[in-house]
Amino acid sequence: MPVEPRSIRDRSAVGRFPSVTLGFGDDTDEELEKEELEEEGDKKENGCLRWLRKVCPCCCPKTKDDDVTETEVTGLDDTEKEEGVNKPTTEDKELNKLLLNVLSIDLMKSKSGQNRQEHHTDLYQTENLIIRRGQTFQMWITLSRPFNPSSDELRLELKTGSLPTVAKGTHVIIPLVEELQDGCWEAAIVEKDNKRIKMSVNSPPDAVIGRYQLTVETNCPDGQAVSTHNPDNDIYMLFNPWCEDDTVFMDSEDEQQEYVLNDIGRIYYGTQNQIGVRTWNYGQFDDGILAVCLFVLEKSGTHSSGWRDPINVVRIISAMVNSPDDDGILEGNWSGDYSLGTSPAVWSGSVEILTEYHKNKGTPVRYGQCWVFAGVVTTVLRCLGIPSRTVTNFDSAHDTDVSLTTDVYLDENLDPLEHLNSDSIWNFHVWNDCWMARPDLPAGNGGWQAVDATPQETSQGTFRCGPASLAAVRNGQVFLKHDSPFVFAEVNSDKIYWQRNVDGTFSMIYSEKKKVGHYISTKAVGSDDRMDITHLYKHPEGSEEERIAVETACSYGSKAEAYSSPTAEDVSVEVTMDGGGPRMGKDAELTIILTNSSSEERKVMLHSQVAVMYYTGVHKATVRRDRTDVDLLPNQKKILEWTLAYKDYKDQLIDQAALMLTLSGRVRETQQVLATQFSFRLRTPDLSIKPIGKAVVGQKMSAEISFTNPLPQTLKNVTFHLEGLGLLTAKMIHYGNIGSLASVTLTEHFVPSLPGTRKLVASLDCKQLTQVHGVTDVEVRE
């Protein structure tokens, strides 16, 4: 390692600790100095020095060629620099041998070693030292001679960010103390072995996360020395859910395992009556992913001093995972045309997306939709140490005017006024929960926080959302930051129907109070089961607590004065579906139930309209309209069978195969208005995956993927996507066409690289059929 000795002529410099020099500059002078030292060699050695070495070899050892350290000797004053006195003299070289130099640093960064095991970072597929804040770690330092605590001084320095500053916590000076105390940066010598010392280093629970550059400074009676920066000794600091004083602390071991360490998850989609699920590879421990996450933080342009606060980091990630504003990770696309990129339905994990983003130096990856955004957010947050999970809300409202209601505008004939209907209800929407304390909010609002990276509405001028306290959302406290009004509307807004009057004004004619926010779902802890967490977002529908929360929230909305009061009803309409619902390629059958709870006859004029929808609730095309007059006897329940033929919808379907039946009507005798909407999807088949051969690390095996086309038409330009952490890297297979109702099988060979239970995930995509996927477990032996 190179030596950069400097003249020490001003003896008053002894005892000062100068600034760290990271050694990022030009190495030309350093190399020339090294050559001069090598040429000088042992040709001429000071006689006094030779005598001193004989008398006291421990204090003045002979330096071997391979023991040259990354150390710079400091103490050159500004006058000498200006005069150009910077070439090492014979005296400088002799003095350098008397200094306390650092020969090497061993950070004990093996994945199976004490540091990585105790810090729960042994799963990261990298050889760097990765630690968590608020916890001690160990390191060995080899010096040029034994450390003498009575005359020698030593300290560590860590720097992170583009402009490290002591005041902002990005330039850390770690003193040597006798005994460590919690809550601060300190180091203590815990073992000595001749020239080697073992140090225990402690960090505070609010330390800035990120990549730190390490240097060691020493001071002895003969001068000071500073080790130059070696990138191999960089230290990566993460949030610590295992530390009680960290704001992301989680006290459940099972939840720590699930929400921080689990690298595979389940993401739910579909409709509330037909909940589908797909496996997602988060891959937060894959080689290079931590580097990508830190790259994303740096690209955000935020100062690294703010990275100590998980609230701030979550808002940065929420903004950076989507591409508007800041050229973030993913470009959203809901058009149905993905010819310039990858269809959102094809992705089955985050690693491929993050790797491509990093490789292309921050060019947004095409394309994503809500579940892709959410899957990537889970990866990034878990990688950085923030407990997180992917959450799906069915019948999820998108409130565009901060009214905290979902508004539907109708004309005089009860037909929708599409140009006014900017609010929508998505069949499903996927976002994230993350876990942290909220010291910035009133007590009781810590715990799970909603964060959403899908670009829907801006927050403080940027497309991001959250973290919003679930406790605040549940109680309608939408005045608490961040973005709780938007999240509240997603899960608990009332759906209000407005009719245009002759004079152009609008009157509220009907409200649905249980239309939004159903079966809010996430993967269960420790299993692949679905866990319903609706109760965390809202009180039971219709309960006094839930109504109070709605009224509290809406009092802060833009239409507080128009909030509807309850109206009496004696006729109701309901739509139901048998079993798992209609399958792709078949006729869709639903049931409409009209109930007259009065003791008098009622006549109902019922309009029905079925439309193909984007899963976001955005209307694409109306498929069919009908009008029916229904006579209801006193206290009668009448069942109407409703059918949509395959031929009516086959040429209109997009992405999620989602449709919506809208019913509206009026009771002739009472002028009561009836209105409801029912979303459903056409179920797609699964891929069948069958492992073949023994699954052993390093040995070739294969898997058989089978699929049957459910449509009476040819699937064109079919692609298969395969991926499995520890099995094979993401791979795209361009298969071609698959005939009407035909079955196909393909075999893929691969070599497992990691032992244990591994999941092999596959998906199929083509213009006519999406959301076809499958997963199987592969038990890999050592």
Side-chain angles (χ1 to χ4, degrees), residues 529-581:
D529 296 337
R530 183 183 71 87
M531 181 168 68
D532 194 301
I533 56 172
T534 308
H535 63 286
L536 297 181
Y537 278 86
K538 58 201 291 191
H539 294 283
E541 287 282 11
S543 66
E544 185 67 18
E545 295 89 343
E546 188 261 348
R547 284 292 93 195
I548 290 173
V550 172
E551 292 174 18
T552 299
C554 289
S555 67
Y556 293 91
S558 61
K559 296 181 180 177
E561 72 286 350
Y563 191 72
S564 61
S565 57
T567 58
E569 297 178 347
D570 56 21
V571 176
S572 62
V573 61
E574 180 186 5
V575 180
T576 63
M577 178 179 62
D578 291 336

Side-chain angles (χ1 to χ4, degrees), residues 352-549:
E352 193 176 359
I353 295 168
L354 290 168
T355 302
E356 182 177 337
Y357 181 70
H358 196 215
K359 181 181 68 176
N360 293 329
K361 300 180 180 179
T363 300
V365 177
R366 296 174 174 174
Y367 293 104
Q369 291 181 5
C370 69
W371 69 92
V372 188
F373 289 113
V376 172
V377 168
T378 297
T379 298
V380 175
L381 294 187
R382 288 186 184 181
C383 184
L384 296 176
I386 300 176
S388 59
R389 62 191 182 189
T390 309
V391 173
T392 302
N393 177 39
F394 293 95
D395 293 326
S396 185
H398 179 184
D399 176 25
T400 59
D401 58 0
V402 204
S403 66
L404 286 93
T405 57
T406 302
D407 302 303
V408 179
Y409 294 94
L410 308 171
D411 64 13
E412 297 83 350
N413 298 318
L414 298 178
D415 287 327
L417 292 166
E418 298 296 346
H419 67 285
L420 294 179
N421 291 329
S422 57
D423 287 357
S424 61
I425 297 180
W426 299 26
N427 287 349
F428 70 96
H429 181 41
V430 188
W431 61 72
N432 302 85
D433 284 346
C434 58
W435 181 272
M436 66 182 69
R438 288 300 299 270
D440 59 323
L441 300 181
N445 286 289
W448 288 115
Q449 316 285 315
V451 56
D452 192 347
T454 300
Q456 294 172 289
E457 302 294 328
T458 59
S459 171
Q460 295 177 318
T462 300
F463 280 103
R464 59 187 169 188
C465 179
S469 165
L470 265 59
V473 170
R474 189 172 191 257
N475 295 316
Q477 296 175 329
V478 296
F479 47 85
L480 297 177
K481 59 182 182 182
H482 292 279
D483 309 308
S484 53
F486 186 81
V487 178
F488 175 88
E490 287 182 304
V491 300
N492 205 16
S493 57
D494 285 352
K495 189 172 186 178
I496 309 295
Y497 292 81
W498 305 82
Q499 185 178 25
R500 185 170 61 193
N501 301 314
V502 176
D503 61 0
T505 61
F506 285 85
S507 299
M508 185 178 62
I509 60 172
Y510 188 67
S511 68
E512 289 184 297
K513 297 178 174 57
K514 301 180 181 180
K515 192 63 182 175
V516 168
H518 300 113
Y519 299 105
I520 303 177
S521 303
T522 190
K523 177 187 174 300
V525 175
S527 77
D528 284 342
D529 296 337
R530 183 183 71 87
M531 181 168 68
D532 194 301
I533 56 172
T534 308
H535 63 286
L536 297 181
Y537 278 86
K538 58 201 291 191
H539 294 283
E541 287 282 11
S543 66
E544 185 67 18
E545 295 89 343
E546 188 261 348
R547 284 292 93 195
I548 290 173

Side-chain angles (χ1 to χ4, degrees), residues 253-355:
E253 185 177 341
D254 290 340
E255 290 186 340
Q256 292 165 345
Q257 180 67 38
E258 180 67 47
Y259 298 130
V260 183
L261 300 181
N262 192 359
D263 57 1
I264 298 177
R266 308 269 276 175
I267 299 180
Y268 299 90
Y269 66 95
T271 70
Q272 63 160 314
N273 300 298
Q274 302 162 283
I275 297 177
V277 61
R278 64 182 303 162
T279 299
W280 191 268
N281 287 328
Y282 296 124
Q284 68 267 31
F285 305 121
D286 262 38
D287 186 22
I289 296 303
L290 176 56
V292 181
C293 295
L294 296 180
F295 169 76
V296 171
L297 285 176
E298 292 166 1
K299 194 174 185 295
S300 71
T302 58
H303 197 284
S304 54
S305 61
W307 301 353
R308 69 173 70 244
D309 184 359
I311 299 170
N312 191 37
V313 169
V314 163
R315 280 183 72 72
I316 293 170
I317 298 306
S318 172
M320 286 299 299
V321 167
N322 61 66
S323 65
D325 313 316
D326 44 31
D327 284 334
I329 297 170
L330 276 162
E331 180 178 329
N333 187 342
W334 288 263
S335 70
D337 179 8
Y338 313 116
S339 56
L340 297 180
T342 299
S343 166
V346 167
W347 305 115
S348 56
S350 306
V351 173
E352 193 176 359
I353 295 168
L354 290 168
T355 302

Side-chain angles (χ1 to χ4, degrees), residues 115 118-121 130-138 158 172 174 180-186 200-210 212 235-249 307-308 384-385:
N115 283 335
E118 290 183 352
H119 285 253
H120 303 92
T121 60
I130 305 171
I131 58 174
R132 300 187 187 275
R133 65 186 192 177
Q135 194 171 336
T136 59
F137 64 96
Q138 316 296 315
L158 295 174
V172 181
I174 306 176
L180 294 178
Q181 297 181 357
D182 292 336
C184 59
W185 285 105
E186 287 181 335
S200 182
V201 185
N202 190 47
S203 64
D206 62 347
V208 173
I209 67 153
Y212 285 87
I235 297 174
Y236 292 78
M237 180 73 75
L238 307 178
F239 292 103
N240 193 352
W242 286 266
C243 174
E244 292 186 8
D245 296 322
D246 196 320
T247 49
V248 302
F249 171 67
W307 301 353
R308 69 173 70 244
L384 296 176

Side-chain angles (χ1 to χ4, degrees), residues 600-742:
E600 300 177 0
E601 183 177 353
R602 296 285 184 253
K603 294 183 181 294
V604 179
M605 177 183 66
L606 191 66
H607 297 265
S608 68
Q609 171 184 305
V610 62
V612 174
M613 308 291 290
Y614 294 96
Y615 81 95
T616 58
V618 176
H619 180 278
K620 176 182 181 283
T622 299
V623 176
R624 201 180 78 195
R625 298 176 186 266
D626 293 300
R627 172 179 166 173
T628 306
D629 292 327
V630 183
D631 294 332
L632 293 172
L633 299 176
N635 298 306
Q636 182 186 18
K637 177 183 288 187
K638 181 167 285 189
I639 298 176
L640 307 176
E641 300 297 336
W642 182 91
T643 302
L644 176 67
Y646 169 69
K647 63 180 179 62
D648 291 335
Y649 70 73
K650 69 182 182 71
D651 295 327
Q652 296 286 353
L653 290 182
I654 51 175
D655 282 1
Q656 301 286 328
L659 300 109
M660 176 181 284
L661 173 63
T662 300
L663 297 176
S664 60
R666 190 185 297 277
V667 180
R668 184 174 301 171
E669 292 82 2
T670 63
Q671 297 301 299
Q672 175 192 346
V673 173
L674 301 175
T676 191
Q677 292 178 317
F678 184 83
S679 297
F680 62 100
R681 69 181 177 93
L682 302 166
R683 290 190 295 146
T684 53
D686 292 329
L687 292 179
S688 173
I689 308 175
K690 179 183 177 183
I692 300 174
K694 294 181 180 180
V696 180
V697 172
Q699 294 186 17
K700 190 175 182 179
M701 65 173 297
S702 58
E704 190 176 83
I705 298 97
S706 303
F707 167 73
T708 299
N709 178 8
L711 302 182
Q713 65 181 97
T714 299
L715 303 181
K716 296 183 178 180
N717 299 319
V718 174
T719 59
F720 288 89
H721 186 270
L722 304 177
E723 181 178 359
L725 296 177
L727 297 175
L728 78 164
T729 55
K731 181 178 183 180
M732 187 83 73
I733 301 173
H734 297 279
Y735 187 85
N737 297 344
I738 299 178
S740 167
L741 306 177

